Amino acid sequence: GLVLGVDGAVVDGRVTVTLLREKRMSPRPHRVELAYRGPARLEPSVAQRVVALVTAAVDALAVQDAPLHADVVVTPAGQPVLIEMAMRP
């Protein structure tokens, strides 16, 4: 599926996404990032699902204040899947 980078911040437990960017990846089996395109060209409903997924992960971890980065894959059906997420120092 489509690989996305999600950047934003958590302030007082509220997530604000500042950028959704597409990642162009090399072919399998050795996937590496080759290029970025931002903002990502997504249907609004797909972008909302991506933000909701990242927000749910932040809520589950009870993060209150931190910059964040996440990698998400969007399936052909438009369903986002969280690959990884990290809070930045």
Side-chain angles (χ1 to χ4, degrees):
L2 177 65
V3 181
L4 301 174
V6 182
D7 292 308
V10 183
V11 178
D12 294 328
R14 296 183 61 141
V15 175
T16 300
V17 171
T18 56
L19 178 62
L20 293 172
R21 70 180 176 282
E22 296 174 35
K23 294 184 177 187
R24 190 173 62 143
M25 305 297 289
S26 65
R28 295 176 191 237
H30 305 291
R31 307 264 313 196
V32 296
E33 299 164 3
L34 300 175
Y36 301 105
R37 179 186 177 96
R41 298 167 292 178
L42 298 172
E43 293 292 327
S45 62
V46 174
Q48 291 170 352
R49 286 194 293 273
V50 170
V51 171
L53 175 67
V54 170
T55 299
V58 167
D59 290 347
L61 295 170
V63 176
Q64 289 300 303
D65 295 288
L68 72 87
H69 171 79
D71 288 332
V72 173
V73 172
V74 178
T75 68
Q79 185 63 37
V81 178
L82 184 65
I83 302 302
E84 66 176 344
M85 183 174 73
M87 302 306 123
R88 304 293 194 198

